[in-house]
Amino acid sequence: MRSVIAYTSARILLFAATAVILYLIGLTGLINLALAVLISGIVSYVLLSRQRDAVSTAFVSKKDQLTKSTADED
């Protein structure tokens, strides 16, 4: 669960930082938000790959635990 919170927080902070930088450059409104989503998505794909892998591992592990407990009940 901790990896999910860390990854989500990093994505939000990266988006906010990108939006602020674009605002300081002079972009406002919907253009700012659209470019912030696009740029932060590309940057997070590169910079946050380790955290994304940790989140994926956590989800697979949880799924395996749920599958095993469901099989044990049957």
Side-chain angles (χ1 to χ4, degrees):
M1 186 65 172
R2 184 172 187 246
S3 60
V4 175
I5 293 171
Y7 178 71
T8 303
S9 299
R11 287 289 308 260
I12 290 169
L13 288 173
L14 190 58
F15 169 75
T18 305
V20 167
I21 290 169
L22 291 174
Y23 178 77
L24 293 174
I25 291 174
L27 295 174
T28 59
L30 193 57
I31 299 288
N32 183 346
L33 294 178
L35 281 176
V37 166
L38 181 66
I39 293 169
S40 68
I42 293 169
V43 171
S44 71
Y45 181 75
V46 174
L47 293 180
L48 300 179
S49 63
R50 197 174 313 144
Q51 284 101 346
R52 189 174 45 256
D53 291 342
V55 169
S56 176
T57 302
F59 279 131
V60 169
S61 173
K62 190 67 164 176
K63 179 188 161 275
D64 290 344
Q65 287 176 357
L66 290 173
T67 303
K68 184 179 180 291
S69 66
T70 303
D72 290 345
E73 288 178 5
D74 292 339

